[in-house]
């Protein structure tokens, strides 16, 4: 697992240079606009809702002693909940809507790595790519929320909440990497086989998605660079995995 996570991280090596070399920035223009709009909307919602959630959580403390401290603690937890759920919603919405624009990016990277301009891939239209992106990300959104909510509850337990943070980042990373890898996999596998492929290579997905998630924590610039860099890195890693599985011949 650790080795595969490192492979996912290594995909970022040279990603920025490759984007410039293959002149891929033009493909990221619309996804970046989508990212800014969705990111701004979620940030505004987080700002408006965090205090309300904190006060709601504070109501479970019935005693007068320690009420102020628990309220302050609840406000912090409220902010964390909003940020985590906001990041989950952000990435799945952006990934789903960006699918038709990211598929050509991964295809050009694949052609560059293999030296073959035209492969006998599954042929999909703009609408089919968009629908697959929506389908994959709705599936991942539901599963990620079902896993994340219990992890967030662990944050109320001292010491355990340290480990829950690490687990939370790994879960976020896995589903982010999953979406990034599928832009390449959609040309080679159907929906079910793509899911099985990512499960088999979950470490690579986690490694790719961890960097994606950390980028999103950077104000503004993270929203702009997270998708271009992570999709390029995921394409590099996924093409190598497909070559190892003899799914790509050169």
């Amino acid at each position: 697992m650790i080795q595969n996570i490192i492979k996912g991280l290594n995909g970022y090596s040279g990603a920025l240079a490759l984007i410039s070399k293959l002149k891929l920035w033009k493909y990221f223009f619309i996804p970046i606009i989508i990212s800014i709009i969705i990111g701004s909307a979620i940030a505004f919602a987080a700002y408006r809702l965090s205090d309300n959630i904190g006060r709601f959580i504070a109501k479970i403390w019935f005693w007068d002693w320690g009420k102020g401290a628990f309220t302050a603690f609840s406000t912090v937890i409220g902010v964390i909940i909003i940020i985590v759920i906001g990041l989950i919603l952000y990435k799945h919405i952006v990934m789903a809507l960006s699918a038709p624009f990211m598929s050509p990016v991964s295809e050009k990277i694949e052609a560059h790595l293999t030296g073959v301009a035209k492969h006998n891939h599954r042929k999909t239209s703009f609408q089919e790519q968009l629908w697959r992106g929506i389908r994959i990300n709705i599936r991942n959104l539901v599963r990620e929320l079902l896993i994340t909510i219990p992890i967030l509850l662990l944050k109320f337990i001292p010491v355990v909440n340290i480990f829950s943070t690490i687990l939370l980042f790994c879960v976020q990373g896995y589903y982010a990497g999953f979406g990034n890898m599928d832009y390449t996999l959609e040309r080679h596998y159907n929906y079910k086989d793509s899911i099985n492929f990512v499960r088999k290579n979950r470490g690579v997905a986690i490694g790719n998605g961890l960097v994606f998630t950390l980028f999103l924590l950077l104000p503004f610039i993270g929203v702009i660079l997270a998708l271009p860099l992570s999709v390029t890195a995921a394409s590099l890693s996924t093409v190598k995995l497909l070559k190892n599985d003899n799914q790509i011949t050169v």
Side-chain angles (χ1 to χ4, degrees):
M1 174 68 79
I2 299 298
Q3 265 188 330
N4 282 337
I5 291 175
I6 293 172
K7 287 180 182 178
L9 294 171
N10 285 340
Y12 285 89
S13 177
L16 190 59
L18 186 61
I19 292 173
S20 298
K21 181 178 181 179
L22 300 182
K23 298 182 170 73
L24 299 176
W25 284 113
K26 60 186 177 183
Y27 295 97
F28 295 115
F29 179 73
I30 294 178
I32 286 174
I33 296 299
I34 293 172
S35 296
I36 292 173
I37 293 172
I38 300 298
S40 299
I42 290 175
F44 179 75
Y47 174 76
R48 295 295 298 271
L49 293 175
S50 58
D51 286 343
N52 293 335
I53 291 178
R55 284 194 292 269
F56 177 79
I57 295 173
K59 289 180 180 179
I60 66 174
W61 190 268
F62 297 106
W63 303 274
D64 290 331
W65 61 271
K67 184 74 173 178
F70 187 78
T71 300
F73 175 72
S74 299
T75 301
V76 173
I77 295 297
V79 171
I80 293 173
I81 290 173
I82 286 292
I83 290 174
V84 170
I85 294 178
L87 285 175
I88 292 172
L89 291 173
Y90 165 83
K91 73 170 179 263
H92 289 300
I93 294 171
V94 170
M95 285 181 175
L97 297 179
S98 299
F101 306 99
M102 296 300 95
S103 290
V105 169
S106 68
E107 190 166 7
K108 287 185 177 296
I109 292 172
E110 182 178 326
H112 171 73
L113 292 177
T114 60
V116 180
K118 291 187 178 180
H119 283 280
N120 294 320
H121 296 141
R122 296 172 64 247
K123 301 298 181 183
T124 53
S125 65
F126 182 97
Q127 290 81 5
E128 288 171 329
Q129 292 165 2
L130 179 60
W131 171 239
R132 170 152 169 156
I134 292 171
R135 188 181 178 193
I136 283 282
N137 282 281
I138 287 177
R139 171 200 179 272
N140 288 349
L141 171 62
V142 172
R143 287 172 178 262
E144 187 172 357
L145 285 174
L146 288 175
I147 297 171
T148 298
I149 291 172
I151 295 175
L152 287 173
L153 294 177
L154 293 176
K155 294 208 163 291
F156 287 98
I157 305 174
V159 181
V160 174
N161 57 15
I162 299 173
F163 298 99
S164 70
T165 299
I166 297 172
L167 182 58
L168 193 60
F169 265 103
C170 288
V171 172
Q172 288 256 351
Y174 173 69
Y175 285 105
F178 192 134
N180 289 327
M181 292 173 70
D182 193 64
Y183 297 135
T184 299
L185 295 176
E186 67 92 16
R187 292 191 303 279
H188 299 275
Y189 291 123
N190 60 30
Y191 176 83
K192 185 176 180 181
D193 289 340
S194 181
I195 292 172
N196 291 332
F197 182 91
V198 178
R199 281 176 178 164
K200 189 173 81 169
N201 298 283
R202 59 170 56 91
V204 176
I206 291 172
N208 176 268
L210 283 175
V211 178
F212 176 88
T213 304
L214 289 173
F215 255 108
L216 293 182
L217 298 179
L218 298 175
F220 191 69
I221 192 172
V223 174
I224 294 175
L225 292 179
L227 193 64
L229 288 178
S230 61
V231 170
T232 303
S235 299
L236 288 166
S237 299
T238 307
V239 169
K240 290 178 182 177
L241 291 171
L242 290 169
K243 287 173 69 176
N244 292 339
D245 281 359
N246 296 317
Q247 294 299 319
I248 293 178
T249 56
V250 297

